[in-house]
Amino acid sequence: DADVTQTPRNRITKTGKRIMLECSQTKGHDRMYWYRQDPGLGLRLIYYSFDVKDINKGEISDGYSVSRQAQAKFSLSLESAIPNQTALYFCATSDPSGLAGVAGELFFGEGSRLTVL
Amino acid sequence: DQQVKQNSPSLSVQEGRISILNCDYTNSMFDYFLWYKKYPAEGPTFLISISSIKDKNEDGRFTVFLNKSAKHLSLHIVPSQPGDSAVYFCAASGGTDTGNQFYFGTGTSLTVIP
């Protein structure tokens, strides 16, 4: 089983719909992130959380919200989806201590492809 | 404004030759750099990293070089193999000086031709 699991893997929705992407991890890491990947733009940070009570906006947080339900769960919501939110979304975790690998290394899920019509 | 740039969207190399992927950054507070590899339908996976106290880090066929004065890093793959065909992202962080965030480049798609 994957250490970082994202659901759904693929989703097609319509403009104006509310969408939630979920992420769960078994790595025991405190830090979790949501990124989106767009062709020609690379990976851009939407939100990040360093523990259950800590939520921070990234570069492109407008139109998104997040919830850190537990250490292992971090969900991303689009309250009213729009077509330019069509992208590949990645959840990631990290362990800044480096005890489980390289300090600062990000561990990514397999991605959630969202299409907004 | 893109703080980490990969100016080559794609690169093709013959099997057995050297692949050189380049990355430039603008923020002088960055002091830790990583390379990730991404296959289609998978998430990026960590490849190699380097901190600003070094100018070279090597791991098997992969070597990363850092030129702090030029704000430039490069990833060398020698010899290149068909399985290396993937998209490569460089990423940078400055720890608390840059909000503990990682900034990614736009990626370079490497094709290794058998």
Side-chain angles (χ1 to χ4, degrees):
Chain A
D1 287 342
D3 294 323
V4 183
T5 303
Q6 294 182 229
T7 56
R9 293 292 311 279
N10 287 284
R11 182 71 183 268
I12 300 173
T13 191
K14 294 182 178 179
T15 297
K17 293 292 187 181
R18 183 178 188 274
I19 292 295
M20 179 181 285
L21 304 180
E22 298 185 333
C23 178
S24 63
Q25 54 118 343
T26 58
K27 300 194 74 67
H29 293 168
D30 287 327
R31 296 188 175 189
M32 297 187 74
Y33 309 77
W34 275 104
Y35 287 88
R36 67 177 275 178
Q37 182 189 0
D38 298 275
L41 295 177
L43 290 158
R44 293 182 293 166
L45 183 62
I46 307 172
Y47 269 95
Y48 62 106
S49 169
F50 285 174
D51 66 42
V52 175
K53 297 180 182 178
D54 177 70
I55 303 286
N56 303 281
K57 293 182 178 181
E59 299 173 72
I60 52 163
S61 58
D62 287 349
Y64 301 95
S65 62
V66 290
S67 174
R68 186 78 185 267
Q69 301 94 325
Q71 187 210 34
K73 295 183 182 296
F74 192 36
S75 59
L76 176 72
S77 293
L78 289 68
E79 294 302 324
S80 180
I82 57 177
N84 77 0
Q85 291 177 314
T86 293
L88 184 55
Y89 290 84
F90 288 102
C91 175
T93 72
S94 75
D95 165 29
S97 72
L99 294 175
V102 171
E105 173 188 354
L106 290 166
F107 295 85
F108 286 88
E110 294 182 319
S112 296
R113 183 169 295 281
L114 176 65
T115 303
V116 183
L117 301 175
Chain B
D1 189 27
Q2 196 82 21
Q3 297 190 56
V4 179
K5 300 177 183 179
Q6 293 176 257
N7 292 319
S8 297
S10 62
L11 175 68
S12 291
V13 171
Q14 288 291 136
E15 181 178 3
R17 307 294 291 268
I18 184 171
S19 295
I20 300 176
L21 293 87
N22 294 303
C23 180
D24 296 293
Y25 61 96
T26 57
N27 193 332
S28 59
M29 302 303 292
F30 290 150
D31 60 5
Y32 190 56
F33 305 89
L34 306 92
W35 284 93
Y36 286 82
K37 178 177 178 179
K38 184 185 180 303
Y39 292 117
E42 296 182 10
T45 55
F46 170 76
L47 189 58
I48 192 168
S49 65
I50 188 167
S51 79
S52 59
I53 63 173
K54 293 185 174 183
D55 54 18
K56 176 183 174 181
N57 189 26
E58 196 171 351
D59 184 1
R61 296 186 297 114
F62 302 91
T63 303
V64 56
F65 295 92
L66 175 62
N67 181 335
K68 291 185 291 293
S69 61
K71 294 189 177 69
H72 176 83
L73 63 154
S74 61
L75 174 68
H76 292 210
I77 306 173
V78 182
S80 301
Q81 299 174 354
D84 296 329
S85 296
V87 177
Y88 291 78
F89 293 98
C90 67
S93 174
T96 54
D97 292 330
T98 56
N100 287 306
Q101 295 182 39
F102 290 93
Y103 294 86
F104 282 80
T106 52
T108 296
S109 179
L110 173 66
T111 301
V112 179
I113 303 164

